[in-house]
């Protein structure tokens, strides 16, 4: 492993995946989002990740916003040219992340990417990594292996993520990467560096 590798966690303000890599000893792990980091880290860049993608990265793990990509928003695209255009822009953003480094993982829920770009390499669930709820998530990989489950547990909170109450924190709660999944990403994918 190259602990000096340049790693970007794109569109992550929670810091979960960034911290998972730093716990392994990586020193050049940056997160970037339009929002400040929840943990106040100085290894977090605030701004448009499109500009940051132009720098040289050894690995990028991207969490592009799912607003215009997820299946749950499909009904709003039908007959809505503005929404269709925003979906097209979101897909191009995903492709830009994919092309910006030799090792890339893109995480997103079931949705438009699998029908307009390509099928995910795998789907994962929080219960595969020690969290007792469901949230089917696709992983589009480039140069990285499939994630292997690390702690399969029973589902004790079905619908936990999808039934969050409306409010200003709903999107942030729903987008949070479970710690067990973040740890698996860091432990398993860092071997490719």
């Amino acid at each position: 492993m190259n602990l000096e590798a340049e790693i970007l966690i794109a569109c992550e303000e929670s810091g979960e995946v960034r911290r998972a890599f730093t716990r392994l000893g990586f020193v050049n792990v940056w997160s970037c989002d339009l929002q400040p980091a929840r943990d106040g880290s100085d290894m977090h860049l605030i701004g448009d990740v499109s500009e940051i993608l132009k720098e040289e990265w050894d690995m990028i793990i991207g969490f592009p916003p799912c607003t215009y990509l997820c299946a749950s928003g499909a009904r709003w695209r039908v007959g809505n040219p503005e929404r269709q255009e925003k979906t097209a822009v979101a897909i191009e953003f995903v492709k830009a992340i994919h092309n910006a480094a030799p090792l890339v993982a893109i995480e997103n829920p079931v949705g438009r990417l699998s029908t307009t770009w390509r099928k995910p390499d795998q789907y994962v669930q929080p219960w595969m990594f020690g969290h007792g709820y469901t949230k089917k998530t696709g992983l589009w990989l480039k140069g990285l292996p499939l994630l292997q489950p690390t702690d399969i547990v029973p589902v004790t909170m079905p619908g936990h993520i999808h039934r969050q109450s409306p409010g200003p924190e709903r999107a942030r709660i729903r987008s949070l990467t479970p710690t067990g999944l973040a740890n698996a990403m860091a432990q398993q994918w860092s071997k490719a560096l």
Side-chain angles (χ1 to χ4, degrees):
M1 281 189 301
N2 176 8
L3 296 178
E4 299 288 326
E6 296 286 339
I7 303 169
L8 174 65
I9 314 302
C11 309
E12 181 197 47
E13 50 82 33
S14 71
E16 285 293 330
V17 178
R18 176 179 28 81
R19 286 192 305 274
F21 275 90
T22 57
R23 283 192 294 272
L24 294 177
F26 288 90
V27 295
N28 296 312
V29 185
W30 296 87
S31 56
C32 179
D33 196 80
L34 295 173
Q35 303 295 318
R38 288 187 204 188
D39 61 3
S41 173
D42 59 354
M43 297 299 285
H44 179 79
L45 305 167
I46 301 171
D48 183 350
V49 77
S50 297
E51 293 302 313
I52 311 276
L53 292 176
K54 296 173 185 173
E55 297 178 23
E56 281 198 37
W57 300 101
D58 296 302
M59 177 188 289
I60 298 174
I61 301 174
F63 299 88
C66 67
T67 306
Y68 300 105
L69 298 172
C70 63
S72 62
R75 69 177 183 261
W76 303 109
R77 282 189 290 275
V78 177
N80 185 335
E82 181 182 344
R83 188 115 178 148
Q84 291 170 354
E85 175 61 26
K86 288 181 178 179
T87 297
V89 169
I91 291 167
E92 289 306 310
F93 177 60
V94 168
K95 291 177 182 178
I97 295 171
H98 182 264
N99 293 329
L103 303 174
V104 179
I106 295 171
E107 178 270 0
N108 225 253
V110 177
R112 297 293 297 165
L113 290 178
S114 62
T115 57
T116 58
W117 181 40
R118 67 178 180 90
K119 301 279 184 212
D121 293 287
Q122 80 177 125
Y123 285 107
V124 294
Q125 293 270 6
W127 56 261
M128 300 164 76
F129 303 94
H131 302 273
Y133 60 91
T134 59
K135 181 186 176 193
K136 187 176 181 181
T137 304
L139 296 174
W140 288 260
L141 306 173
K142 176 178 155 186
L144 295 171
L146 299 178
L147 280 184
Q148 300 304 310
T150 57
D151 184 15
I152 296 176
V153 298
V155 174
T156 56
M157 300 179 290
H160 164 69
I161 290 298
H162 304 292
R163 294 188 185 122
Q164 292 295 318
S165 299
E169 291 297 307
R170 183 177 193 207
R172 288 179 80 187
I173 292 168
R174 290 178 67 160
S175 68
L176 183 64
T177 303
T179 304
L181 178 57
N183 289 337
M185 289 175 172
Q187 292 164 0
Q188 295 178 36
W189 291 341
S190 63
K191 295 173 185 172
L193 291 166

